[in-house]
Amino acid sequence: MVPQLTAVITKDKTLNIASTPMKKTKTLIGDAGATFLNAFTATPLCCPSRSSILTGRYPHNHAVRNNSLSGNCSSLLWQKGPESEAFPLYLRKQKYQTFFAGKYLNQYGRKEAGDVGHVPPGWDQWHALVGNSQYYNYTLSVNGKEEKHGDSYEKDYLTDLILNRSLSFLDAKNGKHPFFLMLSPPAPHSPWTAAPQYQKEFSDVKAPRDGSFNKPGKDKHWLLRQPVNPMSNSSLNFLDDAYRKRWQTLISVDDMVDTLVKKLDNMKELDNTYIFYTSDNGYHTGQFSLPIDKRQLYEFDIRIPLMVRGPGIKPKQAPVLNIDLAPTILDISGFNLSLVNMDGQSFLSQMAPSLRNGTARPFFLVEYTGEGHPLQDPACPKLGPGLSQCFPDCVCEDAYNNTYACVRTFVEHNLQYCEFADSESFVEVYNLTSDPHQLENILKKVDPTLLQTMNQRLIKLQSCVGSSCHDITSQTTRSRADKAAGMRPKLWLEDTANH
């Protein structure tokens, strides 16, 4: 029997689902299947990350740098290139009936990007939000036609509308062919508008005060050295309020998952359906004295929740990237992965070993291109030009010099090594075993040979394309085997390039 497929992609979701309102989701997907404890995004920002989910590619290969049209977010160049090779197109070739509803890409539907008439290839039913996250007073592209919505909870609340339209699709689908649903609610992204019945929930909840919360950005790159520490009471009150409202919006997502699972069960399809629940990136609320946002290299922004249920799942806890979602979904559908150009690799062998053989990657790439404004903010003259996402107390969450690439390793060493494209050529290194909150940059304490190895891995990953992204890690595995057999490993430590 051909498996059915469903993916729920939330916005800006922190990792620890056990301490969030998503109780039903945890029970119905995580506990009934697998909760991946080491899931990461290849880049911690909405549009580049979603582009990676759709294409199975690192940002340097789909060329979406940020959330703007000039940064290639849903641009005409994106549409002519990577979007035309996104995974839904290949699902259609497998006779899947495909449905999308919700937030697509930040610049989708703009007049300069094809307007609402542009429907990406591969989708049979298309109900996409124009622009960035909203809960009311938004516009949808419904199969290429404009549909405006107001502020009625019953008619317009976007999370509920996404659910209702997916249920209608399931009722009307052709029973002879499998289906794929991709539901992309706005929650818990700002403006954090909860459903009316949930707006008084969690009145006593505050952002967790553990780890790196309200700590100074000591020995970190320039942007992290700017926030005032300790944080002001106004900043703490603001981020606590945001944290509560984010939780409130997630209750409707939890309801969505609950209703969808019950629907699939009533249709006698649940046991034959793979359901993925994840997010495009992580999020921070007060870590290293940054109020609220994403975009940073640290675990709180690059780790994402990932839960999967479906036939044969008995998971191994291996690292998984968001670029792995597309090849995994295609692998489940039966598509020949050698026919697609994807940097990610299927993790079907990791979550259902009885169905596939495979190996886990020992390390991977995280990359980000910082954004800034060419003119300085008049309210913050001390900071100068080149910054963006600034709060009233002159704490900015992004800058041109917040451009970096990192290698995150799990085998042999639990390390993160990051290089910045800034005037300082700044480098950050963290031992995640002894320092899980990344409080100490150990660059000056690490063996130079290890730094050289990490630098060489980074260079190779930043230029990898498709299967070569897999070959780099498999070569590392072979070099370990050579070393165990008494041979000198040749990879990484020879022909060191200047960087």
Side-chain angles (χ1 to χ4, degrees), residues 232-284:
S232 67
N233 286 334
S234 60
S235 290
L236 292 171
N237 291 335
F238 173 76
L239 69 87
D240 281 336
D241 184 60
Y243 192 88
R244 278 190 294 273
K245 289 178 178 177
R246 283 164 52 80
W247 273 38
Q248 291 167 355
T249 65
L250 284 169
I251 307 176
S252 294
V253 180
D254 205 36
D255 292 343
M256 167 195 285
V257 172
D258 182 45
T259 303
L260 184 63
V261 169
K262 288 177 179 175
K263 177 70 172 180
L264 293 170
D265 193 24
N266 291 336
M267 295 169 60
K268 310 299 182 188
E269 293 283 11
L270 183 60
D271 291 340
N272 188 43
T273 302
Y274 285 91
I275 305 176
F276 296 78
Y277 174 91
T278 189
S279 176
D280 49 9
N281 45 255
Y283 202 73
H284 58 256

Side-chain angles (χ1 to χ4, degrees), residues 95-401:
K95 307 298 184 183
Y96 273 77
Q97 303 163 84
T98 56
F99 172 92
F100 180 89
K103 160 76 180 287
Y104 182 58
L105 300 174
N106 295 54
Q107 299 298 327
Y108 172 76
R110 305 299 189 196
K111 285 185 167 54
E112 308 92 324
D115 214 334
V116 297
H118 171 67
V119 177
W123 298 104
D124 294 306
Q125 287 291 319
W126 180 252
H127 303 258
L129 178 67
V130 173
N132 204 0
S133 298
Q134 295 290 330
Y135 298 80
Y136 295 110
N137 300 307
Y138 55 84
T139 299
L140 294 180
S141 169
V142 178
N143 299 320
K145 294 185 178 180
E146 182 180 80
E147 181 180 283
K148 290 188 174 292
H149 285 264
D151 57 4
S152 165
Y153 171 68
E154 290 76 14
K155 296 179 181 178
D156 303 312
Y157 190 68
L158 183 56
T159 303
D160 291 357
L161 180 143
I162 291 167
L163 169 63
N164 293 333
R165 296 203 175 177
S166 69
L167 298 177
S168 297
F169 171 79
L170 290 173
D171 286 336
K173 70 176 179 63
N174 183 336
K176 296 180 180 179
H177 299 294
F179 60 81
F180 170 66
L181 303 174
M182 189 169 184
L183 311 185
S184 183
H189 196 281
S190 62
W192 313 308
T193 309
Q197 66 270 31
Y198 298 137
Q199 289 180 0
K200 294 183 179 180
E201 297 293 322
F202 311 120
S203 59
D204 58 344
V205 167
K206 293 184 177 182
R209 263 55 173 174
D210 55 0
S212 58
F213 183 88
N214 204 11
K215 294 286 198 308
K218 182 182 178 183
D219 295 327
K220 289 176 168 51
H221 62 285
W222 181 87
L223 188 65
L224 268 288
R225 302 197 299 265
Q226 306 313 308
V228 175
N229 179 265
M231 301 175 74
S232 67
N233 286 334
S234 60
S235 290
L236 292 171
N237 291 335
F238 173 76
L239 69 87
D240 281 336
D241 184 60
Y243 192 88
R244 278 190 294 273
K245 289 178 178 177
R246 283 164 52 80
W247 273 38
Q248 291 167 355
T249 65
L250 284 169
I251 307 176
S252 294
V253 180
D254 205 36
D255 292 343
M256 167 195 285
V257 172
D258 182 45
T259 303
L260 184 63
V261 169
K262 288 177 179 175
K263 177 70 172 180
L264 293 170
D265 193 24
N266 291 336
M267 295 169 60
K268 310 299 182 188
E269 293 283 11
L270 183 60
D271 291 340
N272 188 43
T273 302
Y274 285 91
I275 305 176
F276 296 78
Y277 174 91
T278 189
S279 176
D280 49 9
N281 45 255
Y283 202 73
H284 58 256
T285 48
Q287 283 76 21
F288 295 123
S289 303
L290 295 170
I292 56 166
D293 200 40
K294 47 266 185 180
R295 296 178 169 86
Q296 303 303 322
L297 61 91
Y298 308 103
E299 298 278 287
F300 46 73
D301 281 0
I302 66 173
R303 280 186 178 267
I304 55 175
L306 175 61
M307 296 183 289
V308 189
R309 71 171 288 166
I313 289 187
K314 291 182 179 178
K316 302 175 182 178
Q317 284 302 331
V320 175
L321 280 179
N322 63 344
I323 59 171
D324 299 335
L325 287 169
T328 302
I329 288 170
L330 292 180
D331 195 8
I332 291 170
S333 78
F335 194 84
N336 183 351
L337 294 180
S338 68
L339 300 178
V340 296
N341 181 25
M342 293 183 174
D343 306 332
Q345 59 193 57
S346 171
F347 60 91
L348 183 56
S349 64
Q350 303 304 315
M351 66 180 184
S354 64
L355 303 180
R356 288 286 187 281
N357 293 320
T359 58
R361 60 163 59 80
F363 56 83
F364 57 85
L365 174 69
V366 176
E367 52 190 348
Y368 178 71
T369 302
E371 293 182 80
H373 299 302
L375 301 176
Q376 71 180 29
D377 186 340
C380 304
K382 291 190 302 181
L383 295 177
L387 295 106
S388 65
Q389 310 298 318
C390 297
F391 285 83
D393 52 0
C394 296
V395 176
C396 299
E397 298 275 2
D398 206 5
Y400 289 134
N401 64 8

